[in-house]
Amino acid sequence: QQQVKQSPQSLIVQKGGISIINCAYENTAFDYFPWYQQFPGKGPALLIAIRPDVSEKKEGRFTISFNKSAKQFSLHIMDSQPGDSATYFCAASKRFGNEKLTFGTGTRLTIIP
Amino acid sequence: DGGITQSPKYLFRKEGQNVTLSCEQNLNHDAMYWYRQDPGQGLRLIYYSQIVNDFQKGDIAEGYSVSREKKESFPLTVTSAQKNPTAFYLCASYMTVYGYTFGSGTRLTVV
């Protein structure tokens, strides 16, 4: 049973554009929602995370939007750059991250000039 | 520098052979995790340990074994019972406030 569904599987965006990746979860006990960025041959690195008591969190060009009633959250990358080309994973956890992470299936993002 | 060290980076296994993947952390984190990554399937949890001498099965534990004799170390053994072991294996550690830290992974290939 896949508890976190991620879309799209791949995404191509022009430089300077907005990249949007979506995730939906099923377990209402989840209360911590991080996004990870992974480059080829490397481990994932935490990009930004949100808790369900807020609807949006912004860090630089990266924004998480959270819709608790719809059980959905999304990552927006503003002014996308070629260096943003990577695979992005959403994840969810209980107890504010003190339990195991459940990951989405990943989105391969390519930024073209 | 604090972090997680996984070794080796590449590993080749013959049919019927057991192999052990190393994971060491110097972050003083309590919890450690092993994930398997396959194309198009994200990261799936194999085993995790929240304290020394204790560990729990994740979603895909069959064919794998672990030990946690020291806080710093959480080795993963891929046994001959794992029928499809070719994958990228990621180790992670966790502590409240600091969050999760991942290693750089081990790519295991069956030859």
Side-chain angles (χ1 to χ4, degrees):
Chain A
Q1 180 188 10
Q2 184 185 348
Q3 295 193 55
V4 180
K5 295 183 179 180
Q6 183 171 347
S7 63
Q9 190 172 14
S10 62
L11 180 64
I12 299 174
V13 175
Q14 274 202 313
K15 179 182 175 182
I18 302 173
S19 304
I20 302 174
I21 304 170
N22 300 299
C23 282
Y25 64 97
E26 299 169 1
N27 191 337
T28 55
F30 288 147
D31 56 16
Y32 174 72
F33 303 92
W35 284 90
Y36 286 84
Q37 179 188 57
Q38 184 181 30
F39 294 104
K42 301 294 185 183
L46 179 65
L47 199 57
I48 187 172
I50 197 168
R51 293 181 179 180
D53 52 341
V54 297
S55 61
E56 186 175 280
K57 183 175 181 180
K58 183 176 181 179
E59 290 184 3
R61 296 185 295 109
F62 301 92
T63 299
I64 298 179
S65 297
F66 185 81
N67 186 330
K68 188 174 181 178
S69 61
K71 293 188 286 185
Q72 295 176 347
F73 58 109
S74 60
L75 176 69
H76 296 233
I77 305 175
M78 312 299 287
D79 187 27
S80 299
Q81 298 297 312
D84 296 330
S85 296
T87 299
Y88 293 81
F89 292 95
C90 62
S93 175
K94 304 176 190 176
R95 293 180 60 223
F96 302 116
N98 282 303
E99 289 199 8
K100 57 184 180 177
L101 287 169
T102 298
F103 284 86
T105 51
T107 297
R108 179 173 289 185
L109 174 65
T110 303
I111 307 301
I112 56 175
Chain B
D1 287 335
I4 295 185
T5 302
Q6 288 189 244
S7 62
K9 191 171 178 65
Y10 300 96
L11 186 58
F12 297 91
R13 190 193 95 166
K14 294 181 180 179
E15 295 282 352
Q17 191 178 45
N18 292 358
V19 291
T20 297
L21 284 60
S22 171
C23 179
E24 303 278 334
Q25 55 107 350
N26 60 4
L27 300 166
N28 200 33
H29 286 182
D30 292 318
M32 297 186 74
Y33 301 80
W34 274 105
Y35 286 90
R36 170 178 170 145
Q37 185 173 16
D38 296 282
Q41 295 196 51
L43 281 71
R44 294 181 291 166
L45 183 63
I46 304 173
Y47 267 98
Y48 63 105
S49 167
Q50 294 182 312
I51 56 172
V52 175
N53 291 323
D54 188 46
F55 48 83
Q56 286 78 41
K57 292 182 179 180
D59 301 317
I60 55 165
E62 185 175 351
Y64 300 98
S65 65
V66 294
S67 63
R68 187 86 186 277
E69 298 176 0
K70 300 185 299 181
K71 189 175 186 178
E72 304 79 18
S73 179
F74 191 40
L76 173 74
T77 296
V78 184
T79 74
S80 57
Q82 171 49 240
K83 297 307 178 188
N84 185 24
T86 294
F88 190 49
Y89 291 86
L90 287 159
C91 179
S93 69
Y94 173 85
M95 181 170 275
T96 306
V97 175
Y98 300 106
Y100 291 84
T101 301
F102 282 85
S104 294
T106 293
R107 188 166 297 281
L108 174 63
T109 304
V110 175
V111 296

